[in-house]
Each structure stands twice: as C-alpha cells, then as structure tokens.
Amino acid sequence: GGGRRRWWQCCVRGGPKRNNKKKKELKFGWITGVLVRCLLNIWGVMLFIRLSWVTGQSGIGLAAVVILLSGVVTTITTLSMSAICTNGEVKGGGAYYLISRSLGPEFGGAIGIVFSLANAVAVALYIVGFAETLIQLLGRYSFSITVRDFEQVTEATMTNDIRVIGFIVVIILVCIALIGLDWEAKVQLVLLVILLIAITDFFIGVFLPASVRPNTQEIELRGFTFFSVDTLRDNIGYDYREGYQFFTVFAVFFPAATGILAGANISGDLKNPQTAIPKGTLLAILLTTIVYLIMAAVVGFIVVRDAPGEPSDFFNSSSFCNGSSAGGLNATINSSALNLPDKYYDYFYQTVVNSSSSMGDYLGLEVFTQGGDTCIPASVFYYGNSSDGGVRYKELCQSGISKCNFGLLNYYQVMEMVSAFGPLVTAGIFAATLSSALTSLISAPKIFQRVCQDKIFPYIHFFAKGGGRTGTEPIRGYFLTFAIAVACIAIGDLNVIAPIISNFFLMAYFLINYSCFAASFSKSPGWRPGFKYYNHWVALAGSAISLAIMFVINWWTALITLVLVVVLYEIVNFSKPDINWGSSTQAFLYAFSIRNLLKLEKLGDHVKNFRPHFLVLSGPPSSRPDLVSFASQMSKDAGVMICGQVLLGDYTTNRKFLRDLKQRNWLRSRKIKAFYNVVSATSLQEGTRSLLQLSGLGKLRPNTLVVGYKSKWTTAPLTEVEEYVNILHDAFDLHYAVVIFRLRAGFDATEKEDEKGSGANGERRNTPTPPMVHVAVGAGYILNDAHRPLLEGNAPENFTEIPLNSVPSAQDMPPLSLEHQSEATLPQGKPTTETDSVDSYAMAMQEGIIQPLDEEVRASQAPAGPTEVLTEGEFISMPSRFERVQEKGFIDVWWLYDDGGLAILLPFLISHNRVWTKCKLRVFIASVSRNIDQGKLRMTSLLRKFRIDYSAVIEVTGINSKPSSESVEKYLALPHGMNLDSKNLDRKTLRHIRLGELLREHSSDARLIVMTISVPQRSVSAQLYMSWLEIMSRDLPPTLLMRGNQSSVLTFYS
C-alpha cells in the first residue's frame, strides 16, 4: 500500500558504511567538460570527410555562407542557452533540462524524447563516417571485409562493409561508456590531441612544395593543383550536382553545428554549469568556425572538382611522363596511345602529333622532370589552354567520357590526400568520428534518463534507474541507445542519416531560442539570468531561422518532426503529470492575462459579448458535487465559475484553512474549470457579502449568484431562514442575477436515503442493521464506529452512514465504489468548533477527529507498528449524478417574467453541454389574453430571432385560476410566518400555489426545469417567500429557480 514501508527503505546496520564507500561522482570544469567536448563534436566527421564535398558543391563563396549560417544559428542558440542556464541551478539533462524548466513539461518532455533520439542517431552518423574512412583505407590494399575477390567490390558490398565495421565499433564504444565517465574523459583528451595534430598536418601539407613531396604525380592526377588562381576561379562559384542545392548541402553539413550541445548534455556532471556552458560553448563556436572557413577556402584553392586519378583513364600508357622511351619532351603521341573518342583524338592528332612544338609549349604550361622523366602536370589536362580550349578533366568527367573518382565532388578523403603525412589525418578522422560518437553515446542515455526520472511519460520509468560504480549511470539507457544506433548504422549512408539529425537538432534549437524569448518577454520577476549578452528579439529570430531552415531543407521531414513533437506534447498534456517547474509558459500566461484584463477594462459592455459568470455558494465543493458539477456545465466555455465557501467563526481560528489546497485539488481532479474562494466571517451573510463584493477581477467578476435550495428550511431556526433570504436580497442589490438550484434529494451527496430498505407502503423493513462505515463523501475523510460518539451533535453536513452490504438505488444516486476499509487510529476528544458551521468537519479534521487521506500527511504520520495506513481510494467515491449523460427528454423552460433573457440563455448553454445533448428545449409561457395563440406566436418569433433551438412552445392556460383545496392545505401546512387560512390567502400566494400545480402537471417528466421567479421584496417575510418557492418546486425533477437582473443578455443582431 501507499503507506507501507519497504525493506529497502529502512535503515539497516552497515548501510551508511556501504553508502560512504560508493565512488564520488566525477565533476568536470569548463575546459574538459564543455570546450573539449564541443571542439571534438564540431570538428567531427564533417571536417575531414564532408567539408571538401560541401566546397565542391557550393563553391568557396556559398560554402562560407553554409558555415556562417550554421555559426549564426548556433551562436544565437548558445546565447539563449547561456541566458537560461544562468537563471538558476542547472542539473542533469542538458538541453532537455533547459527547455523543460523553461517551457514546462509538455514541450520539455517532447523535446527530451526527440533530443535523446537525435543523439542516438548521431552515434550512427559518426560511426558510419569512421567506417567510410576505414573502408577507403582498406581499398588501397585491395581488401574487403565481405568480398574475397576485390574486383567484385560494388557500392552494395561497400555498404555491407560499413555495417560490419559499424556494428563492431558501436559495441566497443558502449563498453567504454560502461566503464565510467572518468575513462571516457581521458579518452576524449587523447582524441582531441590527435585531432589537433591532424589539422596541423593538413596545413603543413598545403604549403609543402611539390619538389619535396614523394607522391606529387599521384595527387596531381587526383586533382591537387597546389595554389592555383585557375582552381580558385573555377571553385569560387557553385556547381550543384545529383539533385543537391544550397539547403540540402546545408542539411548534410549542419550536424557539425550540433556539437554545441555536447557540454550542455552532461550539465549534471559539470562543476559549475552556469559559467562552464556559456564560456566553453562560445569559445568552441569561435574557434571551429574560423578553422572551417579557412580550410574550406584553402581546399577550394588547391583541389579541382573532378579528376581521373589514374593516367590509364586517358592514355593506354602508364604515365604522363615522356622519358627516353617516349622520345623526350618533343616526342609525338601516336594514335594508338590515345584512349579518347574521335573528337578528342582528332584534336590531339592534328594539333599535337603533327606539331613540331613540344607538348609543354603547346599547352602553355610548365613541365617538370621527375626521376629522369619529363612530366606534364595534372593542371595541364584540367585547364589546358584557355585560348584554344585544350582537353580538360572537367569536360571529360562531366560528359561521361571518362570515369572520374577523385576531386572535391568525388573523393571524400581530399583532406588526407593534400596533407603532409596522410596517416595523421586518417588518425584525426578516426579521432573526430569516434570522439563524437562516444559523446553522443554518453549524452543520449543521460538525457533520456532525466526524462524518465521526471515521470513525464508513462511506462518508461524503467530507464530512470541508475547503476554503475556511482549508482547514477544510465546503464539501461546505454543499451537502448545501442539498439537505436545499430538500426541506423544499417542504413550505411552518411548523406541519408545527416538530414535526419539536422531536423531533430534544428527543432531543439528552435525550442531553446523560443524558451529564452518567452521567459524574457513575459517579464517575470523570476527571470534574472546572470548572462546579460542576449536579446529576446534575437532569440525569436533564431527560433524563426531554425524553423524556416527545417522546412527549406525538406518540408515533409520537418512536418514529421513537428507532428512527432505535437503528439508527444499532447500525450503529456493529456496525462497531466503532477509537475510544476514554474515555466516561462506560465509566466507568459500571467503577462498575457494581465494585459488582456487591462484591455477588457477599457472596453464597454455590449449585449453580444455577455457571458454569465457564476459565484457558486458551494461550501467545500467536494461536499456538494451535484451543485458544483451542474454549475460547471452552465459556465463551461462560456464564463467564469467561482466556488465560494464561508468559514464561520473567529479569523484567528480559521486562517489556517484559508489557503488549504485540498478543495482546489478536488476541482482539478474532477476536471471542473472553476476557481475556489474561501473567506472567514462571523455569519454566513457577512461572508457571502464579502464574496459578492470581492470575487473575480475586472470584467471577469461574477454576475450570477448560484445557491442550493435550503431544503430543511421548515425545521431550521428562523434566523437561518432570514439569513438565507437576505443573501438573495444582497445579490439583487449588487445587481446580480440569482439562480436557486433544487434537487429532490438535496445537494450533500451523503444525504441520499437508501430506498431499497423501504417497503411498498414506505415503511422500513425489519432487517438486521449491517455494519456501517461513516463517510464524508468527496472530501477525503473516513471514520469507523469507534469514533461515532465523538461527532454526535457535531457531525459535518456531508457526514453519513452507509451500510457496507447495501448500495443506494441508481434512481437517487450514481453507482459508488466501496473498497475494503482498514481501521485508522484517531485521537480521542471532542471538537471545539461551532456546531452550526457548515465547515465543522474541516475543523474536526484539524483537531484530529477526522483523518485526512492526503498522501504526504499519511506518509509523515505512518504508524510504527503493523497497522495498515489508509491509501488513496480506500474511501467511498460518490460522483455527481450530473457527470453522466442524461437520458433523452426535455429541458422545460417556464418563462413567467421577462428578466432580460437569462432564463432562455442558460437553458440554451446547458443543452449544448455533452451531458444534456439528448435533451431538447420546451418553452412554457402563461396565457394572458383571450387569443390563445397570440403569446405562442410572439414567443416563437422571439426564439427564432434569438437563434435559440427549441422543440416546442406551449402556452399554458389557467395560471390565474384558483388552486385545488388539497394544494392549499399543503401550503397552509408550511411555516409562512403569518396567520393564514384558506380564506385569507392573497392573490400572489394563490398564484404560486397554482404554478406549482401546473408545473407538476406539465413537467413531471422533464429532465430539468428552469423557471423564472419573482424578486423577493423586503416587505415580504423570509418564511413567506420560502413557502412560495417550496409550494412551486416541491416534488419536481431538478429545478432551477432563477431571476435575471433585468439587463438584456440576448440580441437579435449579429
């Protein structure tokens, strides 16, 4: 049960010693925790494997734009992230923690799942990048993992090789992660050193002269021209191929920018995340952006887009070098030496073979000697002579004449090719890809673990449990991430995986920026970030840019991402977890509400915009579920509803209850959209006056008072009856409309009688008395027989006895659920509260007579012995009869007085509620002229003009006729405060008696009766007025006795 203590929660001998032996959690500074991780992730797979391809597709100019646009998005996001993470303590969960604590659990939970998934997919991205490099490296030695004969290697077999390598690598990385973060941190530092050496090696190779390179001929054939103005001129503009365009190339590159969250993702493992995240991330963005821009410009300056790689692609001879066997520099080229189509053969034969000039002179380019041979540079055949359009690689490759597997667009290992020592760059690629994969492998489970710990989503708490040496490592999350990564590695194509990740991370960036904007724009006093270099409009622009880029990259993947976020949002919104983080969404709602309330104050009232706002004198709402539920159906989506309660007695005694949240929680649990106000007063009338004057705010002040009918007025003291009627006077004086709701069985849910024990003649059957359970239904209190004497004469209104083996009839009450009760030990003593207070049960609870079933109170007061503590649900839950859909029938409206139209408007609103949709309006009017149809036609016309749906208009005759003597006798039996008999009844009294007869004659079968009543006059005694209401509404279905405040609430005009 909820109150039982489990064995592992108990203190056992030796427990503290074992806890002290647990390894202390490792915490990182801003360099090792943020800067190093961000550098490794941003300089990940894209730097060495895809930057050259991006430059080839977009050209140097647009490649710089791609890099800078990524930098702009990430910089704005980092500024927003820095503002959020310096506005309070940052715990584990990274971007999820920032967004959830800023925008609330709905958005936070959605992005937590998406972001965890994005990091899990990123593991596959980096591992596939690693496998691509390794496959190409093995290909140089004619080796394949899945094919024995290397000549049979195809793209499909290479993809299979990538999958095999990827599966092996991800297993190794999971093992490293399971060892612990301290090992992972050491590995990250080693990988960063290797990565920096590889970048240095690239720049050395760029400036290394051809004369000292051992492989100049090979790399020239693969497109390396050294620094060439012609190469720069050709690469400055874009040359998109294979269906790519600017934003699809951007989508492939953008995962490099996702590395900015690498530090934030382990925020729970940072010593001081508030300073570490801004400092480390911003510095990482600056350094990596500069390096990316320089390397993109350099590689576009020195490498052409297309190159054959091997001389056999153009010539049957094995070399471009013309040595002694070829006749030296001035040797001619035989037609048999050419492997070209006719048009190129004719060109070469006529201009070269028959020419007496040397090939170098003809092409206008310098030749060089290597190993005794005279060689022609690769740039000769790429550019030729611009004046005569010599043969070019570009022309041959693009026309399909020759197969070109090298150059910026065709060869992903360009960085390694131009470096001083290729293996160092290969090591750098391995370091970058493996470090990024390891970082993502660490981040994804930690984010997901945090989501699970917050209990936002159902059924995933299994992954919240920590383990490992520290006891907090997400061991289960590692295996889940492993499964997702393996599934994505099976795709085997980096260019397919990258756009998926781009969408997920762009969505995260969108929400981070919007979080900053919402928190700042709401002007909440709680928004006090330590980081000042941000602007909420810049943050909004960053969110707009992120969202726009998502749709420009691929509108349907962006749409899928948005739908996924919306679905996750709605799951959280529907489940409504008991979480309150003080999000910026709440602050924004406050600011928005205040601004609009002030705007409403400036507007004049208009009949078209009238909305009924209800002040319901419910007392504790849980004790009168019928009244509260019915009132909520009148106000739902139309107006404001406020439940008012008056605590009788001294303020110093009652103040402890004024801020009690139990009733608000009850309203929320029943999904009743209402506010709850409670005041302390010496009398019910004084307290109600306070509620009438002070409830609501601005234009949202109540305009209609709803009270339950005082069913026991005939036996109540005269002062209580007068107080009740005076409350109605006060409401009319303050220009309120009044609604009195009467139920035959009363409103206190526990006052419904058990009719099964009655015989046909109405007498009780002589049956043994079953065991009783004493209940305050709906309020959460339960007593046993031992405490019955304590409440004699002081029992709360909603206190009753219900037989354990008996269920009240369904005609009078809904089915109730009765579970096994355990006796609770309650303090002995007699309450000191006033017995007349409707809240005496609440005071009794405070004094210990009634035990609350609040979970936290139970936990704190759990007995040390084996006695079971009552859990939530171990008391009778009696729902309102109005929570069920009403059966088919009629809502009868008796419009006897023109009160401005409220008596028509409220039934119309009720009939549109889902509970009453089967009930049609039936309007009754009194016939006041000899022409019976005249009033009916007038009312029909009015209803049509008011656009009120109705089933019938019935004109009732005989309203001024004399009532029957039987009805008169029943009236005279009521206390009316006057010396009356059947002969001296005034006309108004006789009219009320007659109305009661007509109501019982025409509306006994109605589901609900709505009837206008006369305004009580102060010259009329309270008992006389109550006797009129009693004789009219006795023995009727649920009845609304109401009167508007004479203000028009309906209009003909649109």
Side-chain angles (χ1 to χ4, degrees), residues 782-800:
I782 184 167
L783 291 155
N784 56 38
D785 283 329
H787 307 99
R788 182 173 182 175
L790 300 177
L791 290 175
E792 290 182 357
N794 295 308
E797 283 190 345
N798 65 333
F799 182 81
T800 192

Side-chain angles (χ1 to χ4, degrees), residues 757 763-769:
E763 297 181 357
R764 287 274 176 187
R765 295 176 183 172
N766 187 16
T767 57
T769 303

Side-chain angles (χ1 to χ4, degrees), residues 453-474:
Q453 288 173 344
D454 287 336
K455 299 181 180 179
I456 296 179
F457 294 98
Y459 313 121
I460 61 172
H461 192 64
F462 171 81
F463 295 97
K465 184 176 177 61
R469 289 187 294 174
T470 64
T472 60
E473 290 299 308

